[in-house]
Amino acid sequence: EAGVTQSPTHLIKTRGQQATLRCSPISGHTSVYWYQQALGLGLQFLLWYDEGEERNRGNFPPRFSGRQFPNYSSELNVNALELEDSALYLCASSYDGQGATEAFFGQGTRLTVV
Amino acid sequence: KQEVTQIPAALSVPEGENLVLNCSFTDSAIYNLQWFRQDPGKGLTSLLLIQSSQREQTSGRLNASLDKSSGRSTLYIAASQPGDSATYLCAVSPWSGYQKVTFGIGTKLQVIP
């Protein structure tokens, strides 16, 4: 069974541009979570999608947005990129949104803003 | 606000040693605690999940314990191997769900052959 897959693996963008990151959850998982891991910092919660709806977002500006498609895959969009957006972006999926089951993580997308 | 602290930040041990990684959290009202492994520049691999009603979980050479009342968890690694070298993260999930999970900064482990 395939795990959580993220694309692209690496992404280099110029300040002010837009970045789109993609995530495919494990089959049967309806909840998708996005996290930012900046160098030297812990994972910071960005967004949670479940059943196609945004359920919660972390303390990030509105230029961080996303969506979840009918097949439960998800997209994270970052507009007006800033240098400090450079980080590893991790996607996770779980069977439920209540934390009763394990969350499984993808390998991440390394976003570099120059 | 939940805070998760992991001590030590880094650890270097010779191959074959048994070792303990520590995780402490400030709010004991948790739903579960999960230990992850992260290789450099990679995603997280789930190692063990302990529900709040449990005291410990074991998987192979790994054993994780949870003392919710004191806000502590330990990850015990027996007979360490060079392949165990990675950063180990502790994550605490509240009753409101995984979207509110709080991660520690991690312990970077190096096992020397």
Side-chain angles (χ1 to χ4, degrees):
Chain A
E1 180 184 329
V4 177
T5 57
Q6 291 187 245
S7 63
T9 306
H10 294 89
L11 190 57
I12 300 176
K13 291 286 187 178
T14 303
R15 191 171 53 182
Q17 284 188 316
Q18 178 195 43
T20 298
L21 289 64
R22 296 179 177 84
C23 172
S24 293
I26 290 174
S27 178
H29 287 188
T30 62
S31 276
V32 171
Y33 314 84
W34 286 95
Y35 296 89
Q36 181 194 68
Q37 188 179 33
L39 193 63
L41 299 178
L43 277 79
Q44 301 295 317
F45 166 70
L46 265 167
L47 289 159
W48 170 38
Y49 291 96
D50 185 59
E51 298 285 358
E53 300 283 334
E54 181 181 304
R55 302 294 184 181
N56 204 353
R57 64 180 294 127
N59 190 24
F60 281 83
R63 56 190 188 82
F64 286 84
S65 65
R67 53 181 171 166
Q68 186 178 35
F69 299 97
N71 65 355
Y72 303 114
S73 66
S74 178
E75 201 173 80
L76 173 68
N77 295 296
V78 188
N79 295 318
L81 284 165
E82 300 178 1
L83 296 178
E84 50 265 36
D85 296 333
S86 295
L88 180 67
Y89 289 83
L90 293 168
C91 168
S93 74
S94 70
Y95 181 71
D96 71 274
Q98 297 306 309
T101 57
E102 288 177 86
F104 295 88
F105 282 76
Q107 291 302 296
T109 293
R110 171 73 62 185
L111 173 63
T112 302
V113 183
V114 298
Chain B
K1 179 188 173 186
Q2 179 73 271
E3 292 181 3
V4 177
T5 303
Q6 290 188 247
I7 295 173
L11 183 62
S12 184
V13 300
E15 181 177 2
E17 265 202 15
N18 303 323
L19 57 99
V20 175
L21 307 180
N22 297 292
C23 170
S24 61
F25 46 95
T26 54
D27 185 351
S28 62
I30 66 169
Y31 194 57
N32 62 45
L33 183 146
Q34 196 165 355
W35 282 94
F36 294 91
R37 167 190 173 135
Q38 185 175 32
D39 292 289
K42 302 293 186 181
L44 277 63
T45 300
S46 177
L47 297 173
L48 290 164
L49 173 72
I50 311 176
Q51 301 290 354
S52 62
S53 58
Q54 298 175 320
R55 298 285 291 186
E56 66 177 336
Q57 283 286 340
T58 299
S59 176
R61 295 183 293 109
L62 305 179
N63 176 278
S65 67
L66 173 65
D67 184 341
K68 202 172 66 165
S69 61
S70 67
R72 294 181 182 180
S73 176
T74 60
L75 178 66
Y76 175 81
I77 302 177
S80 58
Q81 302 170 358
D84 294 331
S85 299
T87 296
Y88 290 81
L89 297 168
C90 165
V92 174
S93 180
W95 286 95
S96 58
Y98 209 89
Q99 73 280 11
K100 298 287 189 181
V101 68
T102 303
F103 288 84
I105 299 294
T107 294
K108 186 174 183 179
L109 172 65
Q110 182 183 25
V111 180
I112 304 167

